[in-house]
């Protein structure tokens, strides 16, 4: 098989796909990209057995068909060094010898038999759930929730994003047991109710590639795998198995204490004050009286303390509540509105952070943070 | 630069505190320790020492040696209170001090000679401690911690001793190697079997040979024998662990009772770390069988202060540890990996209600004492 392709176009595609390749693989063939030439289209695949991503590119000149596995690191390194130019790939399908002809030179390497590359899993046709959605929904859903996922070997379900589809809406949920994010989109509807848990790695990759999609993308899944596809990209990933904890039951409904505050001002204040918090616990205290929100932190070991107040609108009882500043900062930086509403019940129960006056009416974002136990 | 280091040590501290509280114990052999026949002597008065009693000796043996002494169970709270009082008095005057144990302090008074006179200043401080706390105290003044400590030990009880730089060697070399800090029973036996009796002989052994014998600590030993000790006086030493142990009156096989006792111990410790603003990440459980075989096991956990989590982990560890059908003599539990902080509450374990419960219980304890409220299973 032979083909001629633009060096920068090929590099661009390979870089997107390369995020799937693990730095260390138990199966040596997974260090490779699979190149498959068929019907005048070159398909490029990378896999770590859990996630398999395929993209395609149309070469300028095509001769023959076939497939070959090429060392991913080598091909990426060499492509990065070429200025934009057409490259001619000549592959000997018997010896797997690959020759790359550039304007001025010849680079030759030996590939491996493409037949040895593991095949992506097929979904079970009788169990498939399907939904078509706008790329922006998937992008926002993942971006808003990914930061809240856990790193917990003992509870693998918490390391992924729960995705629920229903005739009314689509919901993304992530939590590490300290913070929780629920992102609902009313403009995505499925025929029936179903859910799956998307692992972190494919979620991160999807976040990058969905920006390349122009039109709707298709999501299909059964109980073991999910497929995300749109023109030019095809991603199959194994899902996290297990039951996600019932997240709705931990969202407090009675929250009589309501605070409205400027998001950026709160963020900046927290950033300053938290420098003086204890570096192990990162505890900051939020004290609210009248329309004053005071933020304080201290580190007894170094005899340092900080305090700052800002104006807010508050409706509720005077209270002091402690949060881990890192978590609160993460939450505030993942909300886009000018102001946020914070709803609380008491110092040992979760505080809920909501965007105020969200322009996107189809969007419903709820972020929740458990406090730290402070003894006043 | 030559340093001036003071070591101050309260004389038979526990006994002195008991005597402050009960004047009749004066000039009478007093032994503090245990509370039962199975414990060990934690302190004894100089009168009792004449009978051959020394600390860490089993109470039973002490009773044979000195049956008429006053045996006192000991009141750790009072000792801690007096110890803090002494620390406060020292802290008021000393530029840098280190609390080395409940009854020992090191002071670094380098450079004060010109203005106050080191010996005069230290004598005055000693008199001040005696006057304000009522407790006898001794001190040693020399060029480093090791020599100062040895000077204190030589001057006790109720003594003072200064060893200046040029007399360091002539002071320590004639002493028995037993008098040197760092030499315990084992090292003493090893060195004695080599024919080393005094520190002077030890100082003449090539350091390489000591290193072969004891590894790195051999070199430290050699240095100390030559009067060299560069360790600084550290004002602040961070608390690394907190623990508690219980020796049974009679070796026990009551496993469920022990689990309850363990829960009670954990509960007390957990309250203490919450009160002092710590969180723990390592739990260690220790058991000692009737034949003195001691086993311990530890587990790393996420930072916590919650009784129920810590009790669960300690029970787990205890169940794994107790593997032989033999009576148990002692159980203990320890929290380490302590850092300053407060508990981060969790979403899915109903931690809000538990947090409220512990806050309420802690408030009761603060008002009415730490025994005011306990888990029912720890009542025995």
């Amino acid at each position: 098989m032979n083909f001629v392709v633009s060096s920068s176009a090929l590099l661009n595609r390979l870089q997107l796909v390369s995020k799937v390749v693990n730095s260390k693989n138990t199966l040596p063939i997974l260090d490779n990209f699979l190149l498959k030439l068929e019907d005048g289209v070159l398909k490029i695949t990378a896999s770590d057995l859990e996630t398999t991503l395929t993209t395609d590119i149309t070469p300028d000149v095509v001769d023959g068909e076939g497939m070959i596995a090429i060392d991913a690191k080598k091909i990426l390194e060499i492509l990065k060094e070429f200025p934009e130019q057409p490259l001619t790939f000549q592959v000997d399908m018997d010896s797997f010898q690959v020759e790359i002809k550039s304007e001025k030179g010849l680079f030759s390497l030996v590939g491996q038999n493409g037949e040895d590359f593991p095949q992506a899993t097929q979904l079970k046709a009788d169990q498939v759930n399907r939904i078509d959605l706008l790329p922006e929904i998937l992008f926002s859903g993942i971006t808003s929730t990914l930061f809240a996922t856990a790193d917990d070997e003992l509870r693998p379900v918490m390391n992924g994003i729960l995705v629920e589809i229903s005739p009314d809406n689509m919901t993304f949920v992530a939590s590490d047991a300290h913070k929780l994010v629920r992102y609902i989109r009313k403009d995505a509807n499925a025929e029936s109710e179903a859910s799956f848990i998307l692992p972190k790695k494919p979620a991160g990759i999807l976040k990058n590639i969905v920006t390349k999609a122009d039109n709707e993308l298709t999501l299909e899944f059964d109980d073991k795998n999910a497929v995300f596809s749109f023109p030019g990209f095809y991603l199959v990933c194994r899902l996290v198995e297990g039951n996600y904890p019932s997240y709705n039951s931990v969202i407090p409904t009675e929250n009589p204490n309501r605070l409205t505050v400027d998001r950026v001002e709160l963020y900046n204040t927290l950033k300053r004050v938290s420098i003086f918090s204890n570096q192990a616990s990162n505890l900051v205290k939020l004290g609210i009286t009248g329309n004053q929100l005071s933020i304080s932190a201290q580190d007894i070991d170094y005899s340092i303390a900080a305090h700052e107040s800002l104006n807010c609108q508050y409706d509720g009882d005077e209270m002091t509540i402690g949060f881990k500043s890192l978590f609160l900062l993460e939450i505030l930086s993942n909300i886009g509105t000018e102001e946020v509403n914070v709803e609380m019940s008491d110092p040992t129960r979760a505080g809920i952070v909501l965007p105020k006056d969200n322009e996107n009416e189809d969007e419903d974002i709820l972020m929740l943070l458990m406090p730290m136990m402070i003894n006043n | 630069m030559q340093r001036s280091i003071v070591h101050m040590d309260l004389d038979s501290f526990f006994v002195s505190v008991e005597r402050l509280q009960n004047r009749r114990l004066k000039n009478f052999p007093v032994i503090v320790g245990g509370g039962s026949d199975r414990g060990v002597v934690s302190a004894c008065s100089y009168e009792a020492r004449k009978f051959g009693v020394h600390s860490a000796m089993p109470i039973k043996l002490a009773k044979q040696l000195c049956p008429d002494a006053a045996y006192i169970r000991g009141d750790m709270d009072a000792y801690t209170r007096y110890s803090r009082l002494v620390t406060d008095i020292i802290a008021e005057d000393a530029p840098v001090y280190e609390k080395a144990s409940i009854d020992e302090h090191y002071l670094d008074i380098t450079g004060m000679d010109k203005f106050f006179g080191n010996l005069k200043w230290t004598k005055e401080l000693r008199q001040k401690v005696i006057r304000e706390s009522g407790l006898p105290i001794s001190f040693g003044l020399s060029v480093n911690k090791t020599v100062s400590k040895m000077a204190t030990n030589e001057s006790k009880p109720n003594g003072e001793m200064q060893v200046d730089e040029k007399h360091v060697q002539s002071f320590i070399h004639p002493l028995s190697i037993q008098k040197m800090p760092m030499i315990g029973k084992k090292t003493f036996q090893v060195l004695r079997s080599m024919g080393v009796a005094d520190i002077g002989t030890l100082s003449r052994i090539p350091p390489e040979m000591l290193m072969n014998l004891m590894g790195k600590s051999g070199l430290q030993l050699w240095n100390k024998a030559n009067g060299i000790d560069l360790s600084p006086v550290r004002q602040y030493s961070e608390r690394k662990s907190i623990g508690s142990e219980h020796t049974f009156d009679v070796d026990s096989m009551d496993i469920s009772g022990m689990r309850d006792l363990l829960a009670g111990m954990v509960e007390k410790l957990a309250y203490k770390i919450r009160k002092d603003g710590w969180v723990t990440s390592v739990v260690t459980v220790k058991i000692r069988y009737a034949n003195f075989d001691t086993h311990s096991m530890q587990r790393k956990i996420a930072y916590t202060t919650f009784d129920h989590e810590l009790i669960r982990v300690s029970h787990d560890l205890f169940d794994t540890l107790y593997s032989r059908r033999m009576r148990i003599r002692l159980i203990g539990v320890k929290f380490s990996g302590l850092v300053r902080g407060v508990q981060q509450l969790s979403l899915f374990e109903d931690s809000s209600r538990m947090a409220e419960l512990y806050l309420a219980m802690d408030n009761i304890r603060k008002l009415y004492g730490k025994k005011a409220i306990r888990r029912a299973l720890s009542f025995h």
Side-chain angles (χ1 to χ4, degrees):
Chain A
M1 74 190 228
N2 305 320
F3 56 88
V4 180
V5 69
S6 139
S7 63
S8 58
L10 183 62
L11 176 63
N12 174 284
R13 292 281 137 161
L14 289 180
Q15 275 174 332
L16 286 171
V17 175
S18 69
K19 301 279 191 293
V20 178
V21 183
N22 281 338
S23 55
K24 277 198 179 121
N25 286 304
T26 42
L27 216 55
I29 189 93
L30 297 177
D31 295 333
N32 293 273
F33 289 127
L34 176 68
L35 305 186
K36 186 176 183 183
L37 194 58
E38 197 179 44
D39 304 330
V41 176
L42 180 69
K43 287 194 167 160
I44 306 159
T45 303
S47 171
D48 66 354
L49 291 182
E50 305 263 313
T51 307
T52 304
L53 175 60
T54 303
T55 183
D56 54 40
I57 184 170
T58 311
D60 306 329
V61 182
V62 176
D63 172 25
E65 290 189 342
M67 54 181 178
I68 181 126
I70 296 182
D71 186 273
K73 229 174 126 191
K74 268 276 168 319
I75 187 93
L76 277 172
E77 276 178 8
I78 183 68
L79 282 175
K80 273 182 208 159
E81 303 306 328
F82 281 124
E84 160 61 20
Q85 60 186 289
L87 296 174
T88 308
F89 282 74
Q90 289 187 330
V91 184
D92 183 313
M93 295 309 291
D94 296 321
S95 62
F96 304 118
Q97 177 83 23
V98 182
E99 292 191 338
I100 307 169
K101 282 186 186 148
S102 69
E103 251 169 29
K104 293 175 188 159
L106 176 72
F107 300 81
S108 69
L109 66 156
V110 181
Q112 291 181 58
N113 189 349
E115 304 285 347
D116 295 341
F117 202 88
Q119 295 279 315
T121 342
Q122 298 292 318
L123 297 180
K124 293 175 215 146
D126 52 333
Q127 290 181 13
V128 170
N129 292 288
R130 186 192 155 104
I131 181 171
D132 293 323
L133 61 151
L134 292 168
E136 185 269 321
I137 296 177
L138 189 62
F139 178 79
S140 307
I142 292 175
T143 319
S144 308
T145 52
L146 190 58
F147 79 93
T149 53
D151 268 314
D152 189 345
E153 281 172 24
L154 298 174
R155 286 180 297 184
V157 290
M158 309 287 282
N159 300 346
I161 300 172
L162 174 70
V163 182
E164 292 178 319
I165 57 169
S166 78
D168 304 321
N169 56 35
M170 181 169 186
T171 309
F172 298 79
V173 179
S175 174
D176 64 357
H178 301 316
K179 51 189 183 292
L180 180 143
V181 180
R182 187 188 67 190
Y183 180 90
I184 302 177
R185 280 301 283 252
K186 293 169 195 142
D187 51 349
N189 321 92
E191 280 162 20
S192 57
E193 284 190 14
S195 71
F196 63 89
I197 302 168
L198 178 67
K200 250 183 213 190
K201 185 177 172 186
I205 293 168
L206 274 169
K207 201 174 94 172
N208 280 324
I209 61 171
V210 289
T211 50
K212 312 270 178 227
D214 307 320
N215 283 312
E216 285 204 325
L217 61 86
T218 306
L219 160 60
E220 292 167 293
F221 60 96
D222 59 16
D223 58 341
K224 291 257 162 41
N225 295 281
V227 176
F228 298 83
S229 58
F230 56 91
F233 287 94
Y234 186 85
L235 183 135
V236 188
C237 65
R238 189 179 302 162
L239 301 171
V240 184
E241 288 180 52
N243 293 320
Y244 205 83
S246 84
Y247 65 91
N248 272 319
S249 64
V250 299
I251 301 175
T253 44
E254 296 280 311
N255 302 299
N257 302 310
R258 287 154 191 271
L259 166 80
T260 304
V261 64
D262 186 283
R263 183 181 65 91
V264 178
E265 207 181 328
L266 177 60
Y267 181 88
N268 290 339
T269 308
L270 274 171
K271 274 227 126 164
R272 282 191 292 273
V273 172
S274 65
I275 295 169
F276 284 65
S277 69
N278 176 284
Q279 292 309 299
S281 70
N282 291 123
L283 170 72
V284 288
K285 287 184 185 175
L286 273 58
I288 322 160
T289 37
N291 288 330
Q292 282 282 308
L293 170 62
S294 77
I295 296 170
S296 59
Q298 63 170 345
D299 190 343
I300 303 170
D301 292 345
Y302 295 95
S303 295
I304 54 174
H307 165 100
E308 207 170 299
S309 356
L310 54 153
N311 291 324
C312 64
Q313 289 165 42
Y314 185 60
D315 178 18
D317 303 328
E318 204 170 285
M319 73 186 282
T320 304
I321 187 166
F323 288 113
K324 194 177 181 76
S325 58
L326 281 180
F327 289 165
L328 193 52
L329 286 167
E330 269 184 322
I331 283 180
L332 291 171
S333 62
N334 277 285
I335 291 179
T337 58
E338 197 179 312
E339 288 185 308
V340 287
N341 290 324
V342 185
E343 299 183 356
M344 293 160 289
S345 60
D346 69 59
T348 61
R349 271 159 225 281
I352 299 175
V353 186
L354 305 162
K356 190 182 180 242
D357 303 327
N358 193 351
E359 282 172 8
N360 188 345
E361 285 187 357
D362 290 320
E363 204 177 50
D364 176 1
I365 308 176
L366 177 144
M367 305 213 181
L368 180 154
L369 179 57
M370 283 303 279
M372 298 183 90
M373 189 169 135
I374 51 170
N375 205 344
N376 296 309
Chain B
M1 192 180 83
Q2 196 205 310
R3 298 186 298 159
S4 308
I5 309 292
V6 181
H7 177 252
M8 298 193 103
D9 190 11
L10 291 152
D11 302 331
S12 52
F13 175 54
F14 293 175
V15 174
S16 303
V17 173
E18 294 298 339
R19 281 180 172 161
L20 268 187
Q21 294 173 341
N22 183 355
R23 298 183 63 83
R24 277 182 299 180
L25 295 173
K26 272 208 169 159
N27 305 320
F28 192 79
V30 178
I31 294 172
V32 179
S36 70
D37 273 354
R38 302 169 52 80
V40 292
V41 175
S42 35
C44 56
S45 69
Y46 285 89
E47 292 80 3
R49 285 182 205 191
K50 284 183 196 151
F51 291 87
V53 180
H54 57 81
S55 49
M57 172 187 275
I59 289 275
K60 221 171 192 169
L61 186 57
K63 279 194 174 163
Q64 283 169 13
L65 290 170
C66 186
D68 297 325
Y71 287 86
I72 295 167
R73 194 197 163 99
D75 177 359
M76 213 53 207
D77 281 353
Y79 305 153
T80 314
R81 209 164 53 238
Y82 276 101
S83 169
R84 201 166 298 152
L85 177 72
V86 172
T87 307
D88 287 346
I89 297 169
I90 291 174
E92 208 174 290
D93 288 2
V96 182
Y97 71 95
E98 169 181 334
K99 186 165 184 158
S101 73
I102 193 161
D103 58 355
E104 283 177 280
H105 295 82
Y106 287 103
L107 285 68
D108 190 339
I109 56 168
T110 307
M112 283 167 63
D113 206 16
K114 222 192 312 188
F115 306 101
F116 305 98
N118 279 343
L119 187 62
K120 180 168 165 283
W121 184 87
T122 316
K123 279 183 174 190
E124 281 168 10
L125 179 62
R126 172 168 172 257
Q127 289 307 326
K128 188 175 169 189
V129 171
I130 295 171
R131 198 168 58 242
E132 293 185 11
S133 72
L135 296 166
I137 191 165
S138 305
F139 76 78
L141 167 59
S142 189
V143 292
N144 60 45
K145 284 163 102 173
T146 304
V147 180
S148 298
K149 188 181 165 85
M150 286 162 74
T152 312
N153 288 341
E154 287 310 298
S155 71
K156 269 168 166 284
N158 239 324
E160 326 178 324
M161 187 187 280
Q162 183 180 26
V163 180
D164 50 28
E165 201 184 11
K166 50 183 183 289
H167 296 123
V168 166
Q169 307 258 336
S170 58
F171 164 63
I172 59 171
H173 282 177
L175 296 173
S176 157
I177 49 169
Q178 258 180 314
K179 303 241 170 163
M180 195 148 110
M182 211 181 138
I183 295 191
K185 211 166 153 191
K186 281 262 168 63
T187 322
F188 174 68
Q189 278 167 0
V190 173
L191 291 172
R192 204 64 194 83
S193 71
M194 292 164 59
V196 181
D198 55 52
I199 296 175
T201 319
L202 182 62
S203 72
R204 284 190 294 275
I205 297 178
E208 295 81 10
M209 196 170 145
L210 286 172
M211 275 175 82
N212 274 337
L213 203 65
M214 296 177 261
K216 244 183 166 171
S217 58
L219 186 64
Q220 264 183 51
L221 196 62
W222 185 84
N223 276 334
K224 288 189 173 185
N226 283 283
I228 303 167
D229 175 10
L230 299 175
S231 61
V233 174
R234 288 181 204 278
Q235 171 104 35
Y236 178 73
S237 67
E238 189 154 355
R239 167 154 231 165
K240 287 180 189 84
S241 70
I242 173 173
S244 131
E245 284 181 1
H246 181 88
T247 310
F248 295 103
D249 294 345
V250 182
D251 293 341
S252 169
M253 280 266 262
D254 175 13
I255 298 306
S256 81
M258 271 182 239
R259 295 178 98 241
D260 294 350
L261 177 71
L262 199 61
M265 285 156 76
V266 169
E267 193 179 10
K268 257 187 226 162
L269 293 175
Y271 166 63
K272 193 157 171 40
I273 61 169
R274 279 199 299 273
K275 193 181 64 163
D276 297 345
W278 299 98
V279 285
T280 175
S281 65
V282 179
V283 179
T284 310
V285 171
K286 172 161 112 181
I287 62 176
R288 179 171 293 152
Y289 290 106
N291 66 353
F292 279 87
D293 269 1
T294 308
H295 301 260
S296 70
M297 193 180 265
Q298 64 177 49
R299 183 179 298 168
K300 184 130 179 52
I301 51 169
Y303 282 113
T304 187
T305 60
F306 277 167
D307 300 9
H308 61 276
E309 282 179 29
L310 293 165
I311 288 174
R312 190 178 48 78
V313 175
S314 354
H315 278 165
D316 251 25
L317 289 170
F318 178 75
D319 293 344
T320 335
L321 266 179
Y322 181 68
S323 56
R324 293 156 61 177
R325 294 199 56 77
M326 198 192 289
R327 290 182 182 275
I328 289 180
R329 183 185 167 83
L330 170 149
I331 60 171
V333 62
K334 185 176 81 181
F335 301 158
S336 44
L338 298 180
V339 295
R340 285 232 176 262
V342 291
Q343 173 104 30
Q344 165 71 54
L345 301 180
S346 165
L347 264 171
F348 298 104
E349 283 138 17
D350 201 17
S351 57
S352 300
R353 283 183 47 191
M354 293 313 281
E356 278 171 9
L357 175 67
Y358 292 135
L359 285 175
M361 283 170 62
D362 289 355
N363 282 335
I364 292 174
R365 289 185 179 119
K366 269 177 209 159
L367 280 173
Y368 303 106
K370 57 187 171 193
K371 286 182 183 158
I373 184 162
R374 278 190 279 166
R375 277 182 157 63
L377 60 77
S378 63
F379 276 93
H380 274 283

